[in-house]
Amino acid sequence: MAVRYELIKICKQTGARLGRLHTPHGTIDTPVFMPVGTQATVKTMSPEELKEMGSGIILSNTYHLFLRPGHEIVKEAGGLHGFINWDRAILTDSGGFQVFSLSDLRKIEEEGVSFRSHLSGQPLFISPEKSIEIQNALGADIIMAFDECPPYPAERRYVRDSMDRTHRWLKRCVGAHQRPEDQALFGIVQGGMYKDLRQESAKQITSVELPGYAIGGLSVGESKDLMYEMLEVTTPLLPQNKPRYLMGVGSPDALVEGVIRGVDMFDCVLPTRIARNGTTMTSQGRVVVRNAKYARDFTPLDPECDCYTCRNYSRAYLRHLIKADETFGIRLTTYHNLYFLLRLMEQIRQAILEDRLQDFRDAFFEKYYGSDE
Ligand SMILES: Cc1ccc(CCc2c3nc[nH]c3cc3c(=O)[nH]c(N)nc23)cc1
Ligand SMILES: [Zn+2]
């Protein structure tokens, strides 16, 4: 069995789930936040640092690795695990989403998606079969079905036709998958922002017996309330004994609200992306440490954080490094942001264990966002 989900406990206050994800590269406690490593690295972090902060699973991308260095090279290197020297779990996305968010001159047809490389401009093509071939070569423990994430907003007619094609593509992915015993294929629920289409997509995707299911088509510019509404009609239709992965979601509030609505797995580029411009997430809310007001602030970034950055450096030093465009600066802010989210998930898991996730949410929001949330 490639990946097995074990439901440990359901929070009496919220219905949120505490679980464990057993994979060939270790067991991961859920709910879990998964750092994004698009080009086979979680930007500026070493595997040792990721382990030190407690990460058990990282993400990488079919689209990027297909374009560069090419999935054959990664395969010859012993797959992604050998290539990046990471012996814990890896999840790869299927590439469809990245084609639409990165490349131009693209065409989507029943057979697959034609596009131009955003690096070289050369014409390329990815089909469900090609996506699975690449992901089999990369060797991730969890691989995603090739899907279309409709733009937002999108006409109902478009969303329905797109989700029907995504369902047909899922069947082609299952047929093409060469290593189901080593690599767990997750189906992806679509349906745009239409509740009835969400419910229909959940039923169609879960009619295919798979080790886990993702909720796609969200975090595409819609309001958080609309995202939560779509979650509320989707997660109840997903099997309780399988993990649910909400794709592309990772701000602190969305993580807590997503867990309360039955989500087990999250990813987001936010912590690493905002770290690069000196923005950090702390227990007192966002701190933009590059601001002049921190020039003489010799206190730690986050007084409640015990990470390497907060134990050894001051806000003044971080501000200096970021302003001087010193790489060490974004390493320190990245380390802290990832550590902050991984620790937030630990606090959420503890709150589920003690049946007090709603209380935790209220207290966390008060401190992080101030009382207006
Ligand atoms: C390395 C990596 C980066 C990013 C992702 C998730 C990327 C992502 C979305 N991000 C925001 N919304 C998203 C929706 C979808 C979606 O509907 N389908 C797929 N396959 N991916 C999505 C996965 C892996
Ligand atoms: Zn810290």
Side-chain angles (χ1 to χ4, degrees):
M1 180 82 144
V3 161
R4 183 175 57 82
Y5 177 72
E6 181 191 357
L7 178 58
I8 307 280
K9 176 180 179 16
I10 292 185
C11 171
K12 291 188 178 62
Q13 228 181 31
T14 59
R17 299 140 51 90
L18 181 70
R20 278 198 203 103
L21 202 55
H22 300 278
T23 82
H25 286 93
T27 293
I28 297 129
D29 291 323
T30 64
V32 63
F33 168 75
M34 306 181 285
V36 164
T38 297
Q39 301 195 101
T41 165
V42 177
K43 289 184 174 23
T44 76
M45 290 290 101
S46 70
E48 291 71 24
E49 286 165 330
L50 289 166
K51 282 184 187 173
E52 187 181 270
M53 61 173 81
S55 176
I57 180 167
I58 60 173
L59 271 58
S60 200
N61 245 315
T62 295
Y63 172 83
H64 292 84
L65 297 172
F66 172 51
L67 266 57
R68 183 174 56 186
H71 57 295
E72 294 91 350
I73 287 178
V74 177
K75 183 170 184 167
E76 287 164 37
L80 261 179
H81 287 90
F83 199 46
I84 71 175
N85 180 39
W86 174 256
D87 61 3
R88 293 187 176 182
I90 299 176
L91 181 154
T92 46
D93 197 5
S94 46
F97 180 83
Q98 289 76 28
V99 166
F100 280 85
S101 51
L102 284 171
S103 63
D104 52 19
L105 205 132
R106 53 199 183 246
K107 194 154 48 95
I108 184 164
E109 296 163 306
E110 188 61 31
E111 184 53 23
V113 183
S114 315
F115 61 98
R116 281 191 181 287
S117 160
H118 73 287
L119 300 174
S120 65
Q122 73 180 106
L124 293 168
F125 179 75
I126 296 189
S127 64
E129 293 79 8
K130 185 66 183 176
S131 172
I132 295 299
E133 176 203 333
I134 296 167
Q135 294 185 84
N136 283 166
L138 298 177
D141 303 283
I142 299 174
I143 65 176
M144 303 311 291
F146 189 70
D147 65 329
E148 182 196 357
C149 173
Y152 173 74
E155 294 290 318
R156 183 186 170 80
R157 179 80 254 151
Y158 184 89
V159 171
R160 160 169 288 295
D161 292 345
S162 165
M163 84 182 212
D164 287 343
R165 180 168 49 216
T166 287
H167 300 154
R168 293 193 295 274
W169 281 357
L170 172 59
K171 295 188 173 64
R172 287 168 56 186
C173 288
V174 171
H177 189 15
Q178 298 301 308
R179 304 175 51 202
E181 67 291 340
D182 299 328
Q183 300 181 268
L185 172 64
F186 280 21
I188 305 177
V189 174
Q190 293 292 346
M193 306 304 160
Y194 300 96
K195 289 188 179 182
D196 60 329
L197 297 185
R198 280 274 158 197
Q199 292 174 320
E200 188 178 327
S201 182
K203 287 182 187 123
Q204 294 219 12
I205 296 291
T206 55
S207 72
V208 182
E209 179 72 31
L210 293 166
Y213 298 96
I215 301 155
L218 295 177
S219 189
V220 286
E222 79 281 9
S223 73
K224 292 223 171 113
D225 287 342
L226 187 52
M227 179 168 79
Y228 301 152
E229 267 184 72
M230 291 306 116
L231 277 183
E232 282 155 19
V233 299
T234 305
T235 50
L237 297 174
L238 303 179
Q240 275 231 1
N241 65 333
K242 301 292 179 68
R244 297 93 175 259
Y245 165 24
L246 175 55
M247 304 190 86
V249 172
S251 57
D253 54 335
L255 286 175
V256 180
E257 297 290 9
V259 170
I260 288 173
R261 289 165 178 78
V263 176
D264 307 303
M265 300 162 70
F266 301 86
D267 80 78
C268 184
V269 293
L270 195 71
T272 41
R273 180 170 295 167
I274 62 173
R276 292 199 284 282
N277 60 45
T279 302
T280 63
M281 300 183 253
T282 78
S283 49
Q284 329 292 323
R286 273 196 173 195
V287 168
V288 184
V289 78
R290 64 178 305 131
N291 283 357
K293 67 181 177 184
Y294 299 116
R296 288 182 167 74
D297 184 338
F298 302 105
T299 66
L301 183 59
D302 185 344
E304 293 181 25
C305 181
D306 61 348
C307 86
Y308 170 71
T309 299
C310 297
R311 277 187 289 105
N312 293 290
Y313 305 96
S314 68
R315 291 170 173 188
Y317 180 57
L318 292 175
R319 176 179 182 272
H320 160 65
L321 292 179
I322 297 289
K323 296 288 280 183
D325 204 17
E326 279 293 342
T327 312
F328 189 47
I330 58 175
R331 270 181 40 75
L332 290 171
T333 53
T334 298
Y335 189 103
H336 167 79
N337 280 353
L338 289 171
Y339 189 96
F340 177 83
L341 286 183
L342 290 163
R343 197 164 53 99
L344 173 61
M345 297 318 285
E346 230 169 77
Q347 292 167 326
I348 287 172
R349 293 195 295 269
Q350 192 57 34
I352 294 171
L353 197 59
E354 298 167 4
D355 294 314
R356 56 174 177 78
L357 185 57
Q358 192 61 44
D359 299 337
F360 173 79
R361 174 217 174 276
D362 297 345
F364 176 77
F365 275 38
E366 168 74 22
K367 270 180 74 176
Y368 193 89
Y369 296 102
S371 52
D372 59 335
E373 265 306 291

